[in-house]
Amino acid sequence: MKPFEQVLELDKVLLKASEFTSNETSRTMMLNTKISTDLAEVRQEITKTDDALKLSMQFGTPPFTEFKDICNMVTRAESGARLSLKDLMDVEDLLRQVQSLYNWYGHCSESATSLDYLFSLIVPLDNLLTTLERSIVSEDEIADSASPTLSEIRRKLVRSRSHLRDSLDNMIKNKTMQKYLQDNTVTIRDGRFVLPVKAEYRSQVAGLIHDTSSSGQTIFIEPMQIVEANNDIRLLESREMEEIDRIMQKLCATVGENAPALRRLHATCAELNYYFAKANYGAFLKAMKPIVSDDGILELKKARHPLLDQSKAVPVNISLGGEHNALIVTGPNTGGKTVSLKTAGLLTAMTMCGLLIPVTDGSRVSIFRHILADIGDSQSIEQNLSTFSSHTLNVVEILNIADDSTLVLLDELGGGTDPVEGAALAISVIDYLKQLGAKLMVTTHYQELKLYAADTPDVLNASCEFDTATLKPTYRLIFGSAGKSNAFAISGQLGIPEVILKHAESLISEENRRFERVISQYEEARKQLESEKEQAEQLRIQAQALKDEWQQKRDSASQQEHDILERATEQASRIVESTKAQSNALLDELEQLRKEKDKAEFSSKVSAMKSGTAHQLRDMYKTANPVIGSLDGNGNYVLPRPLQKGDKVLIADLNQEAVISGEPDNSDNVFVQMGAMRMKIQISRLRLLDKTKPNDKPKKKQRRGGSVAVKAERKSSMELDIRGRACDEGVHEMEQFIDGAIMANIGTVTIIHGKGTGLLRKAIQQRLKTMKCVKAFRNGLYGEGEDGVTVVTLK
């Protein structure tokens, strides 16, 4: 029997996922991913993949590069071996990858994830990276900045070569020398600068011969004038190679010293790339993390086969375990039975590999000890095995391995032999596997298995839906319904003559025909129920939309009412403030008169008048609140006549005009229209507005002359307790209290304001500084209340 990884095509899924890796180590890790049967490990692995997906969606995928496996080379450097510049550049690439991952993770939020432990191992080796970047230009060149000595040697080389070229250029420009030269170019032989001299003039140019052209017509001579300069250049080149060798030894030694850290960094970067590749493959599939358990329940909602075109794949619901431990899938050929079988097994295997699966919320996958599958045609000519024989051998192996933690997937169980015997054998195999406690999903065309599923409590029928109108499968999986093979309909569409089809139908037993009719009736009833369910769902959505609209209108009306109350309160407060200002102006005039009158008599009257005015102001503030006060001041108002539709009324507590828009009900409520808002309100809150002239004209108030009768009473207590007051209210009461004390000729008073936050004390003392009648003030002493009181001395 083939390994289930090949049967279910898990190897192809891992190959697809490996395309999202960036380096060979991570790619190998992905291809070698094995399923785990340990529940804790599976949950941990799939959580890492899910966390990687969440990080990628929130902050973008980390910048992974194609770094090489440097473990072997750094181990060689650790033992003292010499590395090439290419090896050092591979180390440099890894260190750049480490730096980029470190910077990326630094911009992520501090929310804990299952990948934090890996990112905590990403510690950049800044000094080594800086040294390598400064020292290496390419696979063939060390940078001048690798060391000051190398930089100085190369500057000298540049100068020496420049001077030498100048000397050679001068020689070439000499007319005498030009006739000796083959051409006016300077070449290099054996690392030394030479001139191409014609063979017949070699005795005319003094120097060392280094080479001859293949034709013998040109002699390459190093003139004696530049021999010393060439020697100096060769010496500098030798020193350059020695310095490069020293630099390379130092770089290799540094890499060797950091070998353990470099191996750890390589493994960590590869592992991170492995999990983020899993996450990116999951994003490509629009996959998610299922609920993982080991209870044997498989619940896949809108599952899609990951190897199909995701834009065209038809989602299927698959349910196994719990109330039914076996699922019998029937339906026409090419209807999706085998795809459903593979989808269930493959998504289970992917979950056990720590991969996200293409399903929707609420899906759950159980971990199984074994996944055993016999899918497809295993006929073997070489082994002299028929289709039936090969399937039987696979079933035998499955029966030997299966236990109570096994998912068994059987395609066309009992096929390839006599239908009666094959069906009986299939039922027997299913019963045996059920007794072992295995979970089964079986596809079949046998009527006997459909009846068996209908009569057995923990076995469920499922069918691949077939559209009889178009004679094409819909690829939907319908639970609780046995499917028809529709062989006659499909054969007719493919061109089988009608006469043959009718003859074939006549050969079917009456019992089978009745069974097929029952299935057809059941299918029609199911479709009708689905249609009615869809209509009910649409009505539910419409009802919810109407409910939301009504709720929105109610909230809008409530907000409008609240706004009206606020405006009424503000308007009343402005009236009171205006009245207060007028009252203060009047009292100021009386104060001025007081200074001109006899203090003993007139002052007491003014003080009493101020005290009475304060009480009146408080009453006015209360009246200004429309919620607790009636504007007409008459709580016993009686309507002059019953209200009628169209009457203009005043809502007393809102001070808003409205129009009666309905008839009163039995609870003394009536609908009124107030602008765009229609609301029900109690009749007792309404006042009928009569636009005709009233019979009794209001009498004009007679201004009464005479003096204001005020009486100042000396209080026995010289303390004012304003604890708990707001700053403005406390200052106002303090001013009234001090005015009364002055009128009563009291020299010292105590203001009790409490400690609290200190704001009231600060406001009181700030006002005392500006009052001309205050001689001095201080905080209370020990026993007087300390900072909780202010003692005021009056003039």
Side-chain angles (χ1 to χ4, degrees):
M1 185 172 68
K2 288 183 180 179
F4 78 92
E5 291 90 349
Q6 295 182 15
V7 175
L8 298 177
E9 300 178 301
L10 178 62
D11 52 345
K12 294 182 180 179
V13 169
L14 294 176
L15 182 61
K16 287 281 187 181
S18 69
E19 296 174 3
F20 291 86
T21 59
S22 67
N23 62 91
E24 194 59 37
T25 303
S26 301
R27 192 170 296 113
T28 302
M29 290 174 63
M30 187 70 73
L31 294 174
N32 293 334
T33 300
K34 303 297 181 184
I35 68 168
S36 172
T37 58
D38 183 79
L39 177 61
E41 183 180 356
V42 171
R43 285 176 173 172
Q44 185 181 43
E45 287 298 299
I46 204 166
T47 298
K48 290 179 184 178
T49 305
D50 189 51
D51 285 346
L53 179 60
K54 291 176 181 176
L55 287 172
S56 295
M57 293 176 64
Q58 188 173 2
F59 305 103
T61 303
F64 286 104
T65 57
E66 192 174 355
F67 55 87
K68 299 292 190 299
D69 185 353
I70 50 87
C71 294
N72 290 334
M73 64 180 72
V74 299
T75 300
R76 288 192 288 110
E78 190 177 19
S79 64
R82 178 78 172 266
L83 301 181
S84 66
L85 281 174
K86 185 179 183 305
D87 293 338
L88 293 175
M89 290 186 71
D90 290 341
V91 174
E92 183 181 341
D93 290 341
L94 174 65
L95 293 177
R96 285 201 189 96
Q97 174 67 88
V98 170
Q99 186 67 56
S100 62
L101 286 176
Y102 180 81
N103 293 337
W104 179 87
Y105 188 65
H107 290 90
C108 297
S109 62
E110 296 181 358
S111 56
T113 70
S114 57
L115 298 175
D116 288 346
Y117 81 98
L118 286 174
F119 281 105
S120 67
L121 299 176
I122 298 294
V123 180
L125 301 178
D126 294 331
N127 292 335
L128 179 56
L129 177 59
T130 301
T131 300
L132 292 174
E133 288 178 336
R134 184 183 65 240
S135 303
I136 302 174
V137 176
S138 66
E139 297 179 5
D140 304 314
E141 184 180 358
I142 289 286
D144 295 351
S145 56
S147 75
T149 302
L150 181 62
S151 178
E152 179 63 24
I153 290 173
R154 287 182 172 174
R155 280 198 298 269
K156 290 181 179 179
L157 271 172
V158 170
R159 288 198 300 268
S160 297
R161 287 168 178 160
S162 177
H163 293 158
L164 182 57
R165 283 186 175 277
D166 290 342
S167 299
L168 289 172
D169 287 342
N170 291 331
M171 294 176 66
I172 291 173
K173 292 176 182 178
N174 186 283
K175 293 183 178 180
T176 303
M177 181 64 71
Q178 285 181 356
K179 67 179 181 179
Y180 302 150
L181 300 178
Q182 194 70 262
D183 54 58
N184 295 332
T185 58
V186 177
T187 60
I188 296 177
R189 289 293 185 273
D190 298 329
R192 302 178 75 90
F193 288 91
V194 295
L195 295 176
V197 180
K198 295 176 181 178
E200 61 269 24
Y201 294 117
R202 66 180 181 179
S203 60
Q204 302 297 322
V205 179
L208 303 176
I209 297 175
H210 284 274
D211 198 3
T212 304
S213 66
S214 57
S215 63
Q217 299 297 316
T218 305
I219 306 296
F220 296 98
I221 298 176
E222 178 184 1
M224 293 303 297
Q225 299 94 314
I226 64 170
V227 169
E228 191 62 30
N230 265 328
N231 289 339
D232 291 341
I233 290 174
R234 292 300 296 271
L235 180 61
L236 287 172
E237 289 174 346
S238 176
R239 289 179 57 194
E240 180 187 23
M241 294 304 299
E242 291 175 358
E243 181 62 17
I244 289 175
D245 185 66
R246 186 192 68 80
I247 292 170
M248 288 292 294
Q249 288 181 356
K250 185 177 179 180
L251 291 176
C252 294
T254 304
V255 169
E257 292 170 0
N258 290 277
L262 288 168
R263 286 193 291 266
R264 183 183 68 250
L265 289 172
H266 173 265
T268 304
C269 290
E271 190 171 358
L272 282 171
N273 185 224
Y274 169 73
Y275 287 117
F276 278 96
K278 279 185 172 182
N280 288 337
Y281 181 55
F284 170 75
L285 293 177
K286 297 180 181 178
M288 60 164 294
K289 171 186 174 184
I291 301 170
V292 183
S293 65
D294 58 356
D295 54 8
I297 296 177
L298 188 65
E299 188 75 27
L300 303 176
K301 297 183 178 181
K302 295 186 177 180
R304 291 165 280 116
H305 195 288
L307 297 178
L308 297 177
D309 186 346
Q310 296 301 294
S311 63
K312 298 179 181 179
V314 178
V316 295
N317 296 324
I318 300 174
S319 178
L320 184 62
E323 296 182 357
H324 53 276
N325 295 322
L327 192 64
I328 308 298
V329 184
T330 55
N333 290 321
T334 70
K337 300 191 303 296
T338 303
V339 173
S340 298
L341 204 67
K342 286 187 173 182
T343 300
L346 181 55
L347 297 192
T348 301
M350 288 174 64
T351 302
M352 296 170 70
C353 288
L355 290 166
L356 305 179
I357 58 176
V359 292
T360 57
D361 287 338
S363 298
R364 57 186 296 145
V365 175
S366 176
I367 302 304
F368 294 97
R369 190 178 299 115
H370 306 290
I371 300 177
L372 306 175
D374 177 37
I375 301 174
D377 189 358
S378 303
Q379 183 179 16
S380 173
I381 297 176
E382 294 178 357
Q383 298 180 12
N384 195 25
L385 293 176
S386 65
T387 299
F388 176 75
S389 299
S390 61
H391 280 299
T392 302
L393 289 176
N394 291 339
V395 170
V396 169
E397 188 172 351
I398 289 173
L399 294 175
N400 291 332
I401 299 174
D403 57 17
D404 61 349
S405 181
T406 303
L407 175 63
V408 179
L409 307 170
L410 299 173
D411 191 22
E412 302 294 347
L413 179 61
T417 187
D418 179 76
V420 176
E421 294 180 353
L425 182 62
I427 292 174
S428 182
V429 169
I430 293 173
D431 280 336
Y432 181 80
L433 290 171
K434 281 171 52 188
Q435 291 176 6
L436 293 176
K439 305 297 183 291
L440 297 92
M441 191 170 175
V442 179
T443 66
T444 185
H445 286 284
Y446 290 149
Q447 299 283 21
E448 292 82 355
L449 263 69
K450 300 175 186 178
L451 291 171
Y452 166 77
D455 294 337
T456 308
D458 61 343
V459 181
L460 184 66
N461 265 317
S463 62
C464 290
E465 189 178 48
F466 186 82
D467 190 342
T468 55
T470 61
L471 298 179
K472 292 182 180 180
T474 64
Y475 302 105
R476 292 177 58 206
L477 194 61
I478 309 300
F479 286 88
S481 170
K484 297 173 59 178
S485 297
N486 292 290
F488 294 158
I490 295 174
S491 298
Q493 186 186 32
L494 295 176
I496 297 294
E498 184 71 20
V499 63
I500 295 177
L501 295 176
K502 288 184 177 181
H503 180 61
E505 289 178 359
S506 67
L507 297 176
I508 299 177
S509 66
E510 181 61 27
E511 182 180 353
N512 284 336
R513 280 200 291 270
R514 282 201 305 269
F515 183 76
E516 289 293 330
R517 285 197 296 270
V518 169
I519 292 178
S520 298
Q521 292 171 1
Y522 182 85
E523 182 66 14
E524 291 298 324
R526 182 192 63 78
K527 290 182 178 179
Q528 183 176 357
L529 286 175
E530 281 194 354
S531 176
E532 292 175 356
K533 180 182 177 182
E534 184 178 353
Q535 292 176 4
E537 179 64 18
Q538 291 177 353
L539 290 175
R540 186 194 67 80
I541 293 173
Q542 293 175 3
Q544 184 64 39
L546 290 174
K547 179 182 177 182
D548 294 343
E549 182 181 359
W550 174 84
Q551 182 71 29
Q552 185 177 3
K553 288 182 177 179
R554 191 184 71 172
D555 294 343
S556 176
S558 177
Q559 181 63 37
Q560 187 175 357
E561 182 178 358
H562 180 267
D563 294 342
I564 291 172
L565 289 173
E566 282 192 350
R567 288 198 297 271
T569 302
E570 291 176 1
Q571 183 178 3
S573 297
R574 286 196 297 269
I575 294 172
V576 173
E577 290 295 334
S578 176
T579 305
K580 178 182 175 182
Q582 295 175 7
S583 175
N584 287 336
L586 178 59
L587 293 176
D588 288 341
E589 292 179 7
L590 292 174
E591 180 68 18
Q592 186 65 29
L593 291 173
R594 181 189 64 79
K595 295 178 180 180
E596 301 175 1
K597 296 292 183 178
D598 180 48
K599 292 184 178 179
E601 175 183 359
F602 200 80
S603 296
S604 61
K605 295 180 180 180
V606 173
S607 177
M609 185 176 182
K610 282 189 175 182
S611 178
T613 304
H615 287 294
Q616 293 175 4
L617 285 173
R618 281 195 293 270
D619 292 340
M620 293 174 70
Y621 272 112
K622 293 179 181 179
T623 305
N625 188 342
V627 178
I628 63 173
S630 175
L631 290 179
D632 59 4
N634 184 4
N636 299 319
Y637 176 82
V638 178
L639 290 169
R641 60 175 174 80
L643 295 175
Q644 299 177 359
K645 189 173 182 180
D647 283 345
K648 291 185 177 180
V649 294
L650 177 71
I651 303 175
D653 51 1
L654 299 182
N655 195 27
Q656 292 289 322
E657 292 186 6
V659 178
I660 302 296
S661 61
E663 298 297 331
D665 58 18
N666 295 330
S667 302
D668 289 334
N669 293 323
V670 67
F671 278 103
V672 298
Q673 189 76 31
M674 186 169 56
M677 182 174 65
R678 188 172 186 261
M679 58 188 294
K680 181 178 285 189
I681 196 167
Q682 290 183 351
I683 295 177
S684 59
R685 296 170 58 188
L686 303 178
R687 305 291 183 264
L688 182 62
L689 294 179
D690 191 357
K691 297 300 182 179
T692 60
K693 294 183 179 180
N695 295 327
D696 298 329
K697 295 183 179 180
K699 296 181 180 180
K700 294 184 179 179
K701 294 183 179 180
Q702 299 294 327
R703 183 182 297 274
R704 298 178 62 184
S707 60
V708 178
V710 294
K711 181 179 180 181
E713 181 181 22
R714 180 183 180 89
K715 296 183 180 179
S716 60
S717 174
M718 295 181 292
E719 294 181 350
L720 173 65
D721 190 350
I722 56 173
R723 287 175 292 184
R725 304 287 198 280
C727 291
D728 292 344
E729 185 180 1
V731 170
H732 178 69
E733 290 191 23
M734 185 265 298
E735 291 174 349
Q736 292 181 346
F737 176 70
I738 289 180
D739 287 343
I742 291 174
M743 297 301 177
N745 292 323
I746 297 175
T748 303
V749 295
T750 301
I751 312 297
I752 304 174
H753 44 65
K755 296 180 181 180
T757 60
L759 294 176
L760 181 56
R761 181 182 70 243
K762 183 177 179 181
I764 290 295
Q765 294 183 357
Q766 190 69 27
R767 177 64 181 116
L768 289 172
K769 292 179 182 179
T770 61
M771 297 180 68
K772 295 181 180 180
C773 59
V774 176
K775 182 177 181 180
F777 64 88
R778 61 176 174 80
N779 291 336
L781 302 176
Y782 179 77
E784 292 181 329
E786 302 180 27
D787 292 343
V789 302
T790 298
V791 179
V792 184
T793 303
L794 303 175
K795 294 181 179 178

